[in-house]
Amino acid sequence: MSYNLLKGKRGIIFGALDPNSIAWKTAERVHEEGGTFVLTNAPIAMRMGQINDLAEKTGSEIIPADATSLEDLQNLVEKSMEVLGGKIDFVLHSIGMSVNVRKGRAYTDQNYDWTQKGTDVSAMSFHKVMHTLYKNDAMNEWGSIVALTYMAAQRVFPDYNDMADNKAYLESIARSFGYFFGRDKKVRVNTISQSPTPTTAGKGVKGFDGFIAYADKMSPLGNATALDCANYTVTLFSDLTKRVTLQNLFNDGGFSNMGVSDAVMDTFIGDE
């Protein structure tokens, strides 16, 4: 169902890879709500994914950009405003990568060159994106910037590895840069802490299937899907949340406030 929440709004969506990705679902929902946008991803990710199909479906242009490159981001912001016909109203940062996770390197035995690469892609890129938007005065007043995160930023999930550190850094950047963006430009900056979601990136984490099943049993409403996250993101892009900023917002079926659930206890003690 569409409510025209984003009619007339323009944006940039980072990270749509394939139909399983949250950014992909968000792009579809933004399109349904009347928003127009540019799609962007790193060239290597674009070769792996199906972004051309999404662009055709939503009538969007694709502007390749390495989000760790200030030169690429400057080009992206300039061309996006040209293509869309004005300043930006919303941005989704849906980017994350850990070479240590991909290569099966333990948190206690990291390759620090890989760690630095993951930090740059997963967290520092968010600072660079906002820096470029801020410097170019590219955001409209009451615009909205959202990045996707995970609760491992606050609690220990051993196999999430150095991505937990990256997400903690990402959330800090959102608060710190969000202050200046709010004060100077009247722009909101928030993060959404999403349930474990079977995206291409998420499934690369060791033991993911068991992990997602555990989270589902712990959450009174069950795990939030990629579509649930897309819908939540649409509300944050809309004018209905004009004074929500500097927040880390949990979209996880209640998982983040649970200690234990009956369903989880039953797996240990059985029915009595």
Side-chain angles (χ1 to χ4, degrees), residues 191-210:
T191 53
I192 296 176
S193 190
Q194 168 71 1
S195 294
T197 309
T199 61
T200 301
K203 287 184 284 191
V205 177
K206 180 182 174 184
F208 184 79
D209 289 344

Side-chain angles (χ1 to χ4, degrees), residues 39 117 119 134 165 238:
L39 294 166
K117 177 66 174 174
T119 300
Y134 182 92
D165 301 332
S238 79

